[in-house]
Amino acid sequence: MAREKITALIEEVKALTVLELSELVHALEDEFGVSAAAPVAVAAAAAPAAEAAAEKTEFDVVLASFGDEKIKVIKAVREITGLGLADAKAVVEAAPKAIKEGVSKDEAEDLKKKLEEAGAKVELK
């Protein structure tokens, strides 16, 4: 008997529109003095801690500024990205700008070294 009631209730909820479902949630919160947002907040707070525990494997190489050697930095960006002269110049002048995204730690360190040798300031994120 109780199982049939629950199944029928689930079928009724499935038939509701998103707006109606939202109204139902608010009505249940008011009726029982609870909040559906509280468990979500706890779960959301636990997620960053789990992510911080995992070691970062992908990095973004970000050109923070081109320093005093703009032409050398443009040449380095061309070499790294394979862009043409005008495109590489646009990337350098748009600093801070990501040069490469989602690269390994070793590759990111290598790219950072090349850009810094050319006179740029680089960040790994």
Side-chain angles (χ1 to χ4, degrees), residues 97-109:
K97 178 91 171 153
I99 303 297
K100 284 262 184 158
E101 297 178 338
V103 297
S104 68
K105 183 176 183 177
D106 293 336
E107 184 179 357
E109 290 291 337

Side-chain angles (χ1 to χ4, degrees), residues 39-97:
V40 174
V42 172
E51 289 175 15
E55 184 177 339
K56 190 170 183 176
T57 58
E58 291 187 346
F59 294 86
D60 295 341
V61 180
V62 178
L63 178 67
S65 72
F66 52 81
D68 296 330
E69 301 290 335
K70 183 177 177 181
I71 294 172
K72 288 182 181 179
V73 175
I74 291 171
K75 288 179 181 179
V77 169
R78 283 186 68 196
E79 178 186 329
I80 291 168
T81 61
L83 294 172
L85 181 60
D87 292 334
K89 180 178 182 266
V91 168
V92 169
E93 290 175 343
K97 178 91 171 153

Side-chain angles (χ1 to χ4, degrees), residues 1-83:
M1 176 82 175
R3 185 74 177 148
E4 291 173 10
K5 276 183 156 178
I6 293 171
T7 304
L9 186 57
I10 290 172
E11 291 303 316
E12 288 288 326
V13 170
K14 283 182 182 180
L16 296 176
T17 65
V18 176
L19 183 59
E20 292 169 334
L21 188 57
S22 175
E23 290 176 10
L24 173 64
V25 169
H26 291 299
L28 289 171
E29 288 175 344
D30 292 342
E31 180 67 28
F32 296 106
V34 296
S35 174
V40 174
V42 172
E51 289 175 15
E55 184 177 339
K56 190 170 183 176
T57 58
E58 291 187 346
F59 294 86
D60 295 341
V61 180
V62 178
L63 178 67
S65 72
F66 52 81
D68 296 330
E69 301 290 335
K70 183 177 177 181
I71 294 172
K72 288 182 181 179
V73 175
I74 291 171
K75 288 179 181 179
V77 169
R78 283 186 68 196
E79 178 186 329
I80 291 168
T81 61
L83 294 172

